Amino acid sequence: MTDKEHILEQLTGKGGACEIEQIEVNGARIRTWKNAPASMAAIIESSRRRGEREFIVFHDERLSFEEHYRRVAALAHTLVEEFGVERGDRVVIAMRNFPEWIVAFWAITSAGAVAVPLNAWWTSQELAYGVTDSGARVAIVDEKRYQRLQEAEEPLPIEHYVGVRFESAYPDGVLAIDRVFEDVEDAIALPGVDIQPDDHATLFYTSGTTGRPKGTLGTHRNFCSVAGAIGFNGAQILLRMGGRLEDLPLLEQIPQAALLIVPLFHVAGCHGIMLPMLLAGGKLVLLDKWDPVAALDAIETEKITMLTGVPALIGQLMQQPGLEQRDLSSILQLGYGGAPAPPELLRSIKARAPSAMVTNGWGITETSSAISFITGQDYLDRPSSVGLPLAVCEVKAVDTEGREVGPNELGEFWVRGPNVAMGYWNNPEATAGSFTDGWFHTGDVGRIDEDGFIYILDRLKDMIIRGGENVYCAEVEAALVEHPGVSAACVFGMPSESLGEEVAAVVVLCGDDTPGEEELRDFVRGRIANFKVPAKLWLRREPLPLGATGKVQKKELKAHYLGGSAN
């Protein structure tokens, strides 16, 4: 038995700190954490023991765990007693990363209702679609999102609004959230709602790369499985570094602080950053918006220990002028996920923040964030991998007929586990096409090696088919950014009469010694097959356009450079 296998057995076997059991959910047998919290209300109840320890920091505002709990309970009672919200009712959250977003999320789910976080970047009609599709009767909104909803062309089902941080007077029919938080009794508790593990809890909308966004329906079990995974990962890292399980309570005494640089309305921010800080009794620092300089300032002043984002944002941070004069010594963990990470990023982090433990991972909305995780020596040995599946997750690569392929053979990844969502809200056709016997078809393509490590090449829909040969955009992008004169790249297909598609790339140059097109082609020819080398290159100095989560807006770039042929 290897060291990793021994640790896995020690943690997840019978009586282990992270014991796993098999259960049946919706007719499928899955593995799950035996001691995971039964509901999100149980998680928020447990957080109250942190007392006056700081939880949320936003500018000069500081909210303790106790005050956070009291506000959650007060808002939950308002939803139930004043607005008549019942188990399973949907309640919209539409606002920026304000402290009230977090309070609203826990209040809704602790009341047995379904939290519906909407993308704060959406237009009036997009927000109206999310409200109408979810059938929400209550919305908790900031001023800008409220104004956009009032501009909707069609009538909305919203009966009650709770307003957050309005600069102007609150309109009639909008309850100021500050009024909810006035004169809250010290002994206040959550409403006594009977919540079961498989009750509906969250409705996160996917990015909608084609057509309208789909609402991903999650349960309390889905969300609470993330809590189990966080505990397992922490214990596993401790043991692999030579520690003892008896040391885990001591680790809770070490101050932790995370900087939130991605939106809470995506699972990366909500499940992947906010939740770990709540569980660990850590401090969560919010920014107005993504700004590398402001992020570096916060790292220094708030002594940030954990920083997580998509590779593009972490890469921007590592390339900031004057970074060598900044104090990054407080960072203990620097992680990324949500998009393929070029191996060069790991080397860049190790050069600029050598004390940080670098982690990479893979997770999506439909799997409640995390699927796999890699760090330490494993990551140094396999910088192109996103790690091993979580102990409760089954992952397989399948061919176009849904048959599992062998080690190192390319296929689409399917995932099964307690973190896999129930399906898509009000969309049985999409659900049937993406969920099979508890397995979710991720749309990510790659391979699983003989040791079980996962390697993602690209999204299935982003694959370029050039003359019958498959070209994975992420592989070409990784080869391009290996050049010292390139800071970022975006690769996509370009129509070709003879080949069907050709490889095209937009490349962001950096430094003084800038390469030309032929130099770049020659450079990547030594790293990828000749048919993958971009036939067309656009060189620029401007950063690539990023979306709300920091991912490159490939569709926007294609439309700009290819015009009418971008579809």
Side-chain angles (χ1 to χ4, degrees):
M1 183 180 290
T2 66
D3 181 51
K4 278 185 286 193
E5 290 170 335
H6 175 72
I7 289 173
L8 183 64
E9 175 61 28
Q10 181 182 356
L11 289 175
T12 64
K14 189 171 180 60
C18 305
E19 184 177 348
I20 290 176
E21 64 178 354
Q22 287 224 356
I23 63 171
E24 185 171 309
V25 177
N26 295 328
R29 296 288 294 177
I30 63 170
R31 298 197 296 257
T32 189
W33 309 107
K34 184 176 181 179
N35 299 314
S39 70
M40 295 163 72
I43 292 177
I44 207 67
E45 279 290 1
S46 178
S47 75
R48 194 174 197 179
R49 65 189 172 91
R50 307 291 184 182
E52 296 305 319
R53 187 186 294 190
E54 282 184 347
F55 175 35
I56 302 172
V57 174
F58 181 65
H59 296 299
D60 58 352
E61 300 175 35
R62 294 180 181 266
L63 199 66
S64 71
F65 279 86
E66 170 63 21
E67 181 59 24
H68 173 258
Y69 175 90
R70 293 170 67 249
R71 292 186 181 189
V72 167
L75 182 55
H77 279 284
T78 297
L79 294 174
V80 172
E81 296 161 11
E82 294 189 29
F83 296 162
V85 169
E86 299 179 349
R87 279 176 56 189
D89 285 350
R90 279 78 58 208
V91 178
V92 155
I93 307 173
M95 70 179 89
R96 287 171 40 199
N97 278 6
F98 289 136
E100 290 85 355
W101 195 107
I102 300 170
V103 172
F105 180 80
W106 289 106
I108 294 164
T109 53
S110 295
V114 179
V116 186
L118 298 184
N119 190 320
W121 288 30
W122 277 357
T123 64
S124 171
Q125 289 308 113
E126 288 170 323
L127 287 170
Y129 168 77
V131 168
T132 303
D133 182 68
S134 67
R137 296 187 301 108
V138 179
I140 304 172
V141 295
D142 63 15
E143 188 168 22
K144 184 171 287 187
R145 264 42 65 174
Y146 174 76
Q147 290 170 346
R148 288 180 189 170
L149 284 171
Q150 301 314 297
E151 296 165 2
E153 296 175 358
E154 67 273 14
L156 301 177
I158 300 298
E159 299 172 7
H160 304 281
Y161 283 99
V162 178
V164 173
R165 296 179 187 258
F166 279 36
E167 293 183 3
S168 53
Y170 285 89
D172 291 340
V174 178
L175 172 64
I177 202 166
D178 289 343
R179 289 185 54 195
V180 177
F181 300 153
E182 289 176 353
D183 303 321
V184 178
E185 296 179 3
D186 291 340
I188 192 171
L190 298 177
V193 180
D194 178 26
I195 301 174
Q196 298 301 310
D198 294 310
D199 284 352
H200 299 169
T202 61
L203 189 57
F204 280 84
Y205 280 82
T206 61
S207 55
T209 51
T210 57
R212 284 187 158 179
K214 299 188 292 288
T216 303
L217 185 61
T219 65
H220 286 266
R221 187 188 306 281
N222 295 155
F223 192 90
C224 292
S225 74
V226 182
I230 291 166
F232 170 77
N233 282 339
Q236 181 181 225
I237 291 170
L238 175 68
L239 292 179
R240 293 195 66 185
M241 293 176 66
R244 305 170 305 160
L245 288 178
E246 293 81 2
D247 298 330
L248 279 174
L250 297 177
L251 293 180
E252 286 200 1
Q253 305 307 314
I254 299 175
Q256 294 193 50
L259 181 62
L260 185 67
I261 63 174
V262 294
L264 285 161
F265 55 73
H266 282 296
V267 294
C270 182
H271 300 51
I273 302 172
M274 183 266 285
L275 177 59
M277 287 300 101
L278 184 83
L279 294 171
K283 177 173 63 176
L284 185 65
V285 180
L286 311 182
L287 294 178
D288 274 330
K289 60 181 179 179
W290 168 244
D291 179 342
V293 175
L296 289 169
D297 290 342
I299 289 170
E300 291 183 315
T301 57
E302 298 293 341
K303 303 301 179 188
I304 297 299
T305 62
M306 186 180 97
L307 181 64
T308 303
V310 294
L313 298 187
I314 301 300
Q316 282 186 20
L317 206 63
M318 293 297 106
Q319 294 162 10
Q320 278 302 295
L323 187 66
E324 59 276 4
Q325 274 80 52
R326 294 285 197 160
D327 181 9
L328 305 182
S329 61
S330 64
I331 299 179
L332 303 177
Q333 179 180 332
L334 203 160
Y336 39 82
E344 173 60 30
L345 182 56
L346 176 60
R347 293 192 287 271
S348 175
I349 293 170
K350 282 299 180 185
R352 293 164 173 81
S355 61
M357 179 178 68
V358 185
T359 66
N360 192 6
W362 173 42
I364 45 185
T365 305
E366 291 87 347
T367 64
S368 313
S369 188
I371 299 169
S372 67
F373 174 83
I374 191 168
T375 191
Q377 192 60 47
D378 284 341
Y379 196 16
L380 295 176
D381 293 341
R382 300 172 174 86
S384 299
S385 174
V386 293
L388 296 167
L390 297 176
V392 292
C393 280
E394 299 172 76
V395 180
K396 63 182 179 180
V398 304
D399 62 18
T400 54
E401 302 299 321
R403 295 183 296 253
E404 187 170 4
V405 301
N408 291 308
E409 293 183 31
L410 290 182
E412 180 191 2
F413 294 121
W414 287 14
V415 181
R416 182 166 67 182
N419 53 332
V420 173
M422 295 188 68
Y424 296 119
W425 176 258
N426 278 341
N427 200 332
E429 289 185 7
T431 299
S434 296
F435 294 83
T436 304
D437 297 328
W439 292 94
F440 173 65
H441 315 176
T442 68
D444 286 320
V445 176
R447 63 185 176 89
I448 302 173
D449 71 16
E450 56 280 350
D451 296 319
F453 284 86
I454 299 168
Y455 297 78
I456 297 176
L457 281 180
D458 215 335
R459 291 289 294 166
L460 191 62
K461 60 179 174 289
D462 282 342
M463 184 178 69
I464 300 167
I465 303 177
R466 180 191 181 277
E469 296 287 347
N470 294 345
V471 179
Y472 294 97
C473 299
E475 181 185 13
V476 183
E477 290 164 355
L480 286 165
V481 298
E482 289 280 334
H483 193 289
V486 174
S487 63
C490 179
V491 172
F492 46 80
M494 178 176 66
S496 166
E497 288 187 10
S498 59
L499 296 169
E501 284 185 295
E502 278 277 26
V503 181
V506 180
V507 175
V508 179
L509 302 176
C510 62
D512 298 325
D513 187 15
T514 55
E517 290 185 33
E518 284 310 309
E519 181 182 339
L520 281 176
R521 288 193 182 93
D522 290 340
F523 179 81
V524 298
R525 279 192 185 100
R527 290 163 170 77
I528 55 177
N530 195 55
F531 69 86
K532 302 175 184 177
V533 175
K536 178 65 178 176
L537 285 163
W538 290 280
L539 309 182
R540 57 191 271 169
R541 287 281 181 177
E542 302 85 4
L544 299 176
L546 304 179
T549 57
K551 295 182 182 180
V552 174
Q553 299 296 282
K554 183 173 292 191
K555 187 174 181 180
E556 180 180 323
L557 280 171
K558 285 184 70 173
H560 176 76
Y561 285 100
L562 298 182
S565 61
N567 295 326

